[in-house]
Amino acid sequence: MCFFHLSERAIARHEVREIEQRHTMDGTKDVVLDESDDVVIIYNRVPKTASTSFTNIAYDLCGKNKYHVLHINTTKNNPVMSLQDQVRFVKNVTSWKEMKPGFYHGHVAFLDFTKFGGKKKPIYINVIRDPIERLVSYYYFLRFGDDYRPGLRRRKQGDKKTFDECVSFAGSDCAAEKLWLQIPFFCGHNSECWNVGSRWALEQAKYNLINEYLLVGVTEELEDFIMMLEAALPRFFRGAAELYRTGKKSHLRKTSEKKPPTKESIAKLQQSDIWKMENEFYEFALEQFQFIRAHAVREKDGELYLLAQNFFYEKIYPKMN
C-alpha cells in the first residue's frame, strides 16, 4: 500500500500510536532504516503546473520501487500552515520511520526544516510554469474543470466569461494580483512572502530555489525534468521517464474548454509590476534548469541521453597492500 492521506486526523492518530507504543510493557524495537531508505522528498506543488501529471508517476512507481506516497491535504488548500501544524508536520516527516522512504506532495508553501531543529532535511523538488499560462489554465479550470474528475462541480462553474472578456472588464479572477503565487510558494511561511509585489519575497524565492531545492523543472519541459530526476534519485524514480513517455496516467489531467488569450490581454497583464516579478522568477528558474540539464544530458539523433559518470578518484593514500 503506497497511498496515505495525510490529514490532521491522520497526524493525530499517528501521535496517539506513538504514545501507546511508549507505554507498552514489552515495548517495540525502533525501526532501523538503511541509509538509502532514510529519505524523504517533498514536492510542494504549485497549482496548474502539470503537478497532477507528475504526481501520478510517483503513485504508479511507489509499489514497484518500494516507497510511500503521502498527500498533504490542507483545509481549503491553504498553502500556509499554522505554527503548530508546522511543528506537527516537521515531526512527522522526520520521525515517521514507517513512512520512509517517503514522497510527500501537496499545495504547501516551502517550509524551512532547520528552524525546528530537525536532524535531517528533506529533499525539495518542484515544477513551475510561465505565469500567464498558469493563470489562464487556472481560470478555466475553476469554470470547466478537467478530464481528471469531470463530474466534480468547480467553484466558478456556470461562468461562461472568457479570460479575454475578464481582462477587458478588469475582473478580479484575471487581475495581475492573481499572478502572485509561484514566488510565495518558494519564498515560504514568512509574512512578507505573501505581500503581493514584494521584492524581498522574490529574492528569498530565488535563494530558496538555489539552496533548498535539488531540482526545479518547468512545465514546458517536464519530460527532461523527469529524466534528470530518475538519474539523480533512482531509488524513487527508476522507470519514470519511460512511464511518462508511454503511460496513460501521466498525461491524464487537461483543463477543459481552455481558450488561449489574445495578444492584447497578454500585453495588458505584462504592464503590471507583479507580472514582471513573477516572470523574472520564472526566467531565473528556467535558466537554472537549463544550466543543470546542459551538464547532465546530450542530444543525439533527436534523442536525449544522460551523461555517464564524469569524475573519478586518483592518488589515493596511504597505499593499500
Side-chain angles (χ1 to χ4, degrees):
M1 186 73 174
C2 57
F3 170 66
F4 298 86
H5 191 64
L6 186 59
S7 63
E8 192 171 340
R9 189 176 301 170
I11 294 173
R13 284 200 298 267
H14 171 58
E15 291 176 341
V16 168
R17 187 170 72 247
E18 284 189 326
I19 294 171
E20 289 174 344
Q21 288 175 345
R22 286 198 296 268
H23 287 82
T24 302
M25 292 299 293
D26 57 354
T28 56
K29 293 183 179 180
D30 289 337
V31 177
V32 179
L33 293 172
D34 183 83
E35 184 178 353
S36 64
D37 288 339
D38 190 16
V39 178
V40 169
I41 295 175
I42 295 181
Y43 172 35
N44 63 315
R45 46 194 282 196
V46 179
K48 305 312 297 176
T49 57
S51 62
T52 300
S53 296
F54 175 59
T55 304
N56 278 335
I57 291 174
Y59 280 118
D60 288 345
L61 291 175
C62 64
K64 179 181 178 181
N65 291 345
K66 295 182 171 52
Y67 62 87
H68 303 273
V69 181
L70 301 92
H71 178 211
I72 313 161
N73 184 10
T74 61
T75 303
K76 295 182 179 179
N77 281 331
N78 186 353
V80 177
M81 292 183 177
S82 67
L83 182 62
Q84 57 269 35
D85 276 349
Q86 292 177 46
V87 173
R88 294 184 186 116
F89 178 62
V90 171
K91 178 183 178 183
N92 272 266
V93 168
T94 54
S95 65
W96 203 350
K97 294 181 180 179
E98 295 87 352
M99 293 297 105
K100 291 183 179 179
F103 179 96
Y104 291 70
H105 69 96
H107 298 314
V108 179
F110 170 77
L111 187 60
D112 182 4
F113 276 56
T114 60
K115 291 172 60 175
F116 302 89
K119 295 180 181 178
K120 189 169 183 179
K121 293 166 65 174
I123 297 172
Y124 270 97
I125 61 173
N126 217 325
V127 178
I128 69 171
R129 187 176 184 178
D130 175 276
I132 291 181
E133 290 184 5
R134 195 208 66 80
L135 178 60
V136 171
S137 181
Y138 189 61
Y139 178 89
Y140 285 108
F141 171 73
L142 291 179
R143 285 155 178 78
F144 300 101
D146 55 32
D147 56 1
Y148 187 58
R149 289 187 288 176
L152 184 64
R153 185 174 180 84
R154 300 295 173 180
R155 181 153 48 93
K156 295 286 185 175
Q157 188 167 325
D159 180 5
K160 304 293 185 181
K161 193 173 12 319
T162 67
F163 186 82
D164 290 325
E165 290 171 337
C166 178
V167 171
S168 66
F169 290 110
S172 60
D173 286 347
C174 55
E177 288 77 11
K178 295 291 185 180
L179 293 166
W180 190 259
L181 191 69
Q182 298 187 130
I183 287 173
F185 256 75
F186 278 78
C187 180
H189 277 70
N190 295 306
S191 62
E192 187 65 16
C193 296
W194 299 88
N195 185 1
V196 178
S198 167
R199 171 59 59 172
W200 181 91
L202 169 60
E203 296 306 324
Q204 185 64 36
K206 288 181 178 179
Y207 176 88
N208 287 342
L209 185 147
I210 294 296
N211 294 283
E212 303 292 347
Y213 284 79
L214 174 70
L215 185 64
V216 175
V218 294
T219 303
E220 298 79 6
E221 299 174 12
L222 190 61
E223 183 175 344
D224 294 3
F225 169 74
I226 291 169
M227 184 171 64
M228 286 190 285
L229 275 182
E230 180 174 351
L233 299 170
R235 176 67 180 81
F236 286 82
F237 297 106
R238 185 177 292 107
E242 182 64 20
L243 183 63
Y244 180 80
R245 295 187 192 105
T246 61
K248 294 180 181 179
K249 287 185 178 181
S250 61
H251 306 284
L252 192 61
R253 195 167 198 172
K254 294 181 180 179
T255 301
S256 305
E257 299 292 328
K258 186 169 63 175
K259 297 179 181 179
T262 62
K263 293 180 180 179
E264 290 76 16
S265 295
I266 293 173
K268 192 169 184 179
L269 285 171
Q270 289 178 340
Q271 293 173 8
S272 164
D273 288 338
I274 297 170
W275 173 81
K276 292 174 183 176
M277 296 177 75
E278 275 281 351
N279 191 64
E280 180 180 335
F281 179 65
Y282 171 75
E283 294 287 351
F284 179 83
L286 178 61
E287 182 181 5
Q288 176 67 9
F289 174 71
Q290 291 176 339
F291 177 84
I292 294 173
R293 183 179 60 188
H295 289 80
V297 301
R298 290 291 182 271
E299 184 175 348
K300 184 177 181 180
D301 299 327
E303 295 290 333
L304 292 176
Y305 66 94
L306 292 160
L307 292 176
Q309 181 171 316
N310 199 30
F311 72 91
F312 57 93
Y313 305 103
E314 61 181 10
K315 299 181 179 178
I316 303 172
Y317 288 83
K319 294 288 188 180
M320 300 293 291
N321 292 329

